[in-house]
Amino acid sequence: MQATGNNFPLHPKSIRLCMDGLSFFQEDSWKRIDFVSGDTFLQKTLAKCLCTSALTDNSSAIVQATTPYTTFVPSDLLQQQEALELFRFVFPEANSKDYVVFKQPLQSFDITLLFALPTAHYHLIHQLFDKVHWQHDIAYQVEKSLKISKKNGEEHAWLVQNGTHTHLSVAKNGALLFSNHFETPAKEDVLFYCAQVYEQYALSQQHTPLYIKGDASLYKLLQQHIVHCQLTDTHANC
């Protein structure tokens, strides 16, 4: 099981790569290149990297994975083989040589994220860069959620939309109550799972905040049903 490089400091030439694109820091601003969503042809990814002059001189990269194969476990459980066995049980499709499993502990919280990404992507990135620091976007999002809930002494839901996958979590006073990925090919599917989570955890559509990382159309749909919505990127309130 691979370890991640947490809190790797940003550098004027830092690079972030996701399964569907990459971004890099150039001239004091972030530039982004998007790959075809769900593109499994690694040659296309490689070509875009090599044809971007700003990337060719860099020997290190921050890789921010966005794969749906994630699960949180208590950090002390990672001392046992049961943690990896649990991950393989939850995601049997990742139980092969085709996937590499990583662990990423959350700072200030006694939980660790386990996530997997295709072995082919793993080898591709290591061919491009001498040093690679692996992270997962969900670890950052959940850690941010926990800090806000602890600071504000509140219970809230946190939603991250990534293509046809949506991650939902519930935090209360700095404790993680729920975390899961859902397949959501349509925005109405996101609304359905939000309603299910709100009902299961007795959350109030009138009072429990919902933080959203997603596009504006999803935000507009959800705000029709949940009073206190907030976009995490722009901090716009309902």
Side-chain angles (χ1 to χ4, degrees), residues 86-106:
L86 172 64
F87 184 86
R88 301 296 193 188
F89 176 78
V90 174
F91 300 109
E93 61 269 39
N95 188 17
S96 71
K97 63 181 180 180
D98 295 331
Y99 286 86
V100 180
V101 178
F102 294 82
K103 59 180 181 180
Q104 183 174 350
L106 272 64

Side-chain angles (χ1 to χ4, degrees), residues 11-236:
H11 184 271
K13 293 184 178 180
S14 293
I15 306 164
R16 292 185 183 276
L17 298 100
C18 300
M19 295 303 101
D20 60 349
L22 63 87
S23 57
F24 56 95
F25 199 80
Q26 184 182 46
E27 297 176 356
D28 299 326
S29 63
W30 283 101
K31 313 294 183 182
R32 180 168 178 83
I33 298 175
D34 291 314
F35 304 145
V36 176
S37 180
D39 178 21
T40 58
F41 296 98
L42 298 180
Q43 292 83 356
K44 184 177 292 187
T45 303
L46 176 61
K48 290 216 175 186
C49 289
L50 295 179
C51 291
T52 305
S53 60
L55 304 182
T56 55
D57 295 331
N58 291 278
S59 60
S60 64
I62 303 171
V63 180
Q64 185 169 295
T66 57
T67 57
Y69 302 128
T70 65
T71 187
F72 286 94
V73 298
S75 294
D76 55 4
L77 185 62
L78 288 177
Q79 304 303 320
Q80 311 168 27
Q81 181 64 20
E82 285 82 351
L84 186 55
E85 292 176 355
L86 172 64
F87 184 86
R88 301 296 193 188
F89 176 78
V90 174
F91 300 109
E93 61 269 39
N95 188 17
S96 71
K97 63 181 180 180
D98 295 331
Y99 286 86
V100 180
V101 178
F102 294 82
K103 59 180 181 180
Q104 183 174 350
L106 272 64
Q107 286 197 339
S108 305
F109 298 97
D110 194 26
I111 55 176
T112 294
L113 176 69
L114 301 179
F115 67 93
L117 75 156
T119 304
H121 285 83
Y122 173 84
H123 289 311
L124 168 65
I125 300 303
H126 277 278
Q127 289 173 8
L128 288 171
F129 303 100
D130 296 332
K131 295 180 181 180
V132 181
H133 302 266
W134 296 94
Q135 300 177 352
H136 200 289
D137 180 57
I138 292 304
Y140 167 75
Q141 295 295 330
V142 169
E143 187 168 27
K144 185 177 178 181
S145 167
L146 292 173
K147 288 180 178 178
I148 290 176
S149 71
K150 185 176 181 179
K151 178 181 178 181
N152 297 342
E154 68 178 14
E155 182 177 32
H156 64 233
W158 197 280
L159 183 153
V160 180
Q161 181 193 33
N162 181 35
T164 58
H165 291 273
T166 297
H167 182 270
L168 276 168
S169 61
V170 178
K172 183 176 182 179
N173 298 326
L176 183 64
L177 305 184
F178 173 82
S179 173
N180 203 1
H181 267 94
F182 301 97
E183 289 237 10
T184 53
K187 291 180 174 59
E188 290 73 18
D189 297 320
V190 180
L191 177 61
F192 171 80
Y193 286 115
C194 278
Q196 292 289 310
V197 170
Y198 264 68
E199 180 179 0
Q200 180 179 353
Y201 286 88
L203 306 179
S204 170
Q205 292 177 239
Q206 303 298 319
H207 301 100
T208 304
L210 173 63
Y211 294 85
I212 303 167
K213 182 184 178 185
D215 60 40
S217 60
L218 176 62
Y219 169 74
K220 291 178 180 179
L221 173 64
L222 293 173
Q223 74 172 155
Q224 297 175 23
H225 303 272
I226 299 173
V227 174
H228 297 287
C229 296
Q230 180 168 311
L231 284 171
T232 60
D233 292 337
T234 61
H235 303 288

